[in-house]
Amino acid sequence: MKRKLIAAIGVAGMLVSIAACGSDDKASSKDPKDRKDNLTVWLMGEARTTWPELVKDVNAEFNKKYPNVKVDVQYQQWGDKVKKLDTALGGDKFPDVVELGNTETMQYILNGALGEIDAKKYENSDTWIKGLKDTCSYEGKLYCVPYYASARVAVYNKDMLKAGTGSDALPQTEDEFLKGMDKVAAELAKKDKRASSLYYPGRYWYAAMSYVAAYGGQIAKYDEGSKEWKASLSTPEAQQGLTHFVDLVKKYNKADQTKDEQDHANVMANEKAAVIYGQAWEAGSVTTGENGNPKLEGKIGTAGMPGPNGKALPSFIGGSDLATISKSKNQDLGEEWISLFTNAKSMEVLAAKNILPNNEKQLEPLKSKPETAPIANAVPDAWFTPIAPGWASIEKEETLEKMLLEILKGTSVADATKKADAEINGLINKKA
């Protein structure tokens, strides 16, 4: 799932108000039954559509201890959540608990918006998935709690695949996979010349960077000598990965190649794509929800995406974290709610729905479960964006997307990556 960061407005004012606020010690010392507060929780829409019973059960459990605390869960959308949160933090009506995509956390850590977390209060903290925990950590301190993990996999239409290749099982090597995509493309062209066998939008930088990682490249590397991050997209390895990705876009995407991946599940739901590269949960989005196509129920499969050199394509480690807001007077309540929502019992609910839990112990059984094996096994070798202070801004995503579009439109990979590296170097080490 894409988490674009929108530039914060009024951050300076937000920081002033944050510095003077925090958890109300007097309130936290009250008898739990005497607390009469409101706890506002912002969760993303997936919690409402895919695990609503977990939210209901956790609220009920929480209210056994705090019967007079009203928990107000408000569901947000990824497209405008950051803008709404920045606006809320600049005023006096803000959530006490917020779900953040793991690429969003650093900006709010650096701005002082998130309350510090004591890992000892959380049941699974000793086995949290490292890639998620890292997104919550800065200078030895913890500012959020891993919620769930995700990785990208091939999501495919079994009927379309079988019509082209004779089998509804995705080939395991890239050579065989691309031969299959050629056959599927030929079949689709007989009915709809705008339908894509492999739908890769040109601005899909998560996918592009997966190919960079497949060839041993990185967006940026930390230099021990200068103690700074240095962009590295102009290395031969990164350039090879970018070239590979753009070649796939040009060959297989028969629709608008300049788009991003925000609506690729809808493209598949409209039967305009045989294969997309997305979050495992997006397989459900193809068939259910407001834009889903119920006729495709049972016809959508997932598998590890074949990558170069006979290996699986490395995936970006996605997922979400939960945090308290530092200027909330109910941080203690927020921490308790998060603790219930992320404990082993709650993670069992997510795992039963084939959502990757926040910890290695409960992730392990999913590595051998057919429905989850592709995504669960993608987590250990997954890559992440540089954990650098300056990465947490919209400019880096825009730089990567602009670079991809330039290559797609004919700029040489060498020139485009040189320009992107210069832009990233000018931004990546800034703190906020």
Side-chain angles (χ1 to χ4, degrees):
M1 63 193 69
K2 188 162 185 153
R3 280 86 175 209
K4 280 195 149 190
L5 297 180
I6 301 172
I9 299 173
V11 170
M14 178 184 78
L15 293 176
V16 171
S17 59
I18 287 173
C21 301
S23 181
D24 189 332
D25 292 334
K26 291 183 180 180
S28 62
S29 66
K30 288 182 180 180
D31 185 308
K33 294 182 179 180
D34 292 335
R35 295 289 292 270
K36 295 183 179 180
D37 298 293
N38 292 322
L39 185 72
T40 301
V41 177
W42 279 19
L43 292 179
M44 303 313 297
E46 291 81 17
R48 175 169 55 185
T49 58
T50 311
W51 47 92
E53 73 278 19
L54 175 58
V55 179
K56 181 180 178 181
D57 291 346
V58 166
N59 286 345
E61 184 68 21
F62 181 84
N63 281 137
K64 287 180 182 178
K65 182 174 180 179
Y66 297 100
N68 295 310
V69 173
K70 180 182 178 182
V71 181
D72 180 18
V73 177
Q74 300 177 6
Y75 295 98
Q76 310 299 320
Q77 300 300 316
W78 289 112
D80 65 355
K81 189 277 302 292
V82 168
K83 185 175 182 180
K84 288 177 64 176
L85 181 59
D86 290 341
T87 300
L89 291 173
D92 57 3
K93 292 184 179 180
F94 45 84
D96 302 292
V97 172
V98 64
E99 177 182 345
L100 296 169
N102 60 358
T103 59
E104 297 171 350
T105 57
M106 186 61 71
Q107 178 73 28
Y108 294 103
I109 290 172
L110 294 170
N111 283 345
L114 308 184
E116 189 175 343
I117 293 291
D118 180 359
K120 295 177 182 178
K121 295 181 179 180
Y122 299 89
E123 184 177 350
N124 299 316
S125 60
D126 57 339
T127 59
W128 279 341
I129 292 170
K130 184 179 183 300
L132 285 183
K133 184 178 179 181
D134 286 348
T135 68
C136 289
S137 306
Y138 185 66
E139 295 186 342
K141 295 182 179 181
L142 192 69
Y143 294 91
C144 52
V145 175
Y147 173 14
Y148 65 86
S150 67
R152 283 166 171 77
V153 295
V155 180
Y156 65 97
N157 184 307
K158 296 178 183 178
D159 286 351
M160 287 184 178
L161 187 66
K162 190 172 184 178
T165 67
S167 172
D168 62 3
L170 200 77
Q172 295 184 358
T173 67
E174 188 179 55
D175 285 346
E176 290 300 318
F177 172 66
L178 295 181
K179 287 178 183 177
M181 291 300 94
D182 291 338
K183 294 177 181 178
V184 173
E187 286 298 315
L188 291 176
K190 295 176 182 178
K191 300 178 181 179
D192 187 349
K193 294 186 182 298
R194 300 293 290 173
S196 306
S197 55
L198 173 60
Y199 181 71
Y200 267 151
R203 285 164 48 209
Y204 192 0
W205 69 268
Y206 287 106
M209 295 306 117
S210 287
Y211 285 94
V212 167
Y215 284 99
Q218 296 174 256
I219 297 172
K221 299 177 182 179
Y222 185 72
D223 182 69
E224 289 290 347
S226 64
K227 302 298 181 185
E228 288 188 336
W229 288 83
K230 294 185 177 180
S232 56
L233 290 170
S234 56
T235 62
E237 296 84 359
Q239 290 185 9
Q240 192 173 5
L242 289 168
T243 299
H244 192 127
F245 170 75
V246 173
D247 286 347
L248 293 176
V249 174
K250 289 180 177 179
K251 183 173 183 179
Y252 294 107
N253 184 348
K254 303 303 180 183
D256 183 353
Q257 296 181 348
T258 66
K259 293 178 66 176
D260 62 24
E261 82 286 4
Q262 292 276 12
D263 68 343
H264 64 176
N266 294 342
V267 173
M268 177 167 274
N270 290 324
E271 301 181 76
K272 297 291 185 180
V275 180
I276 63 173
Y277 181 55
Q279 305 280 12
W281 57 262
E282 288 183 290
S285 299
V286 173
T287 59
T288 62
E290 183 178 350
N291 298 310
N293 183 350
K295 294 189 300 181
L296 296 179
E297 186 69 40
K299 298 181 179 181
I300 304 300
T302 61
M305 177 66 83
N309 304 316
K311 298 180 180 180
L313 186 66
S315 173
F316 172 83
I317 185 165
S320 280
D321 303 313
L322 292 165
T324 61
I325 297 301
S326 61
K327 65 177 182 176
S328 165
K329 294 183 178 180
N330 293 321
Q331 279 189 64
D332 60 319
L333 295 176
E335 289 180 4
E336 288 201 50
W337 190 91
I338 293 173
S339 180
L340 290 172
F341 201 64
T342 59
N343 64 18
K345 181 180 178 181
S346 293
M347 291 297 103
E348 286 178 7
V349 175
L350 296 188
K353 294 178 177 293
N354 297 331
I355 304 299
L356 302 189
N358 64 7
N359 65 92
E360 295 281 358
K361 183 178 180 180
Q362 291 177 287
L363 175 69
E364 194 62 31
L366 301 184
K367 293 180 180 180
S368 56
K369 185 179 178 181
E371 298 89 339
T372 54
I375 182 173
N377 285 295
V379 168
D381 296 324
W383 61 273
F384 193 67
T385 51
I387 305 176
W391 186 264
S393 68
I394 185 63
E395 290 93 338
K396 262 68 76 206
E397 291 192 358
E398 288 184 340
T399 295
L400 294 177
E401 291 187 349
K402 183 170 62 176
M403 174 192 67
L404 290 171
L405 286 180
E406 288 177 353
I407 298 171
L408 192 62
K409 293 177 180 178
T411 301
S412 72
V413 175
D415 287 345
T417 54
K418 182 179 180 180
K419 182 179 179 182
D421 275 356
E423 291 184 11
I424 290 173
N425 281 331
L427 296 164
I428 199 168
N429 293 297
K430 292 181 179 180
K431 287 202 170 184

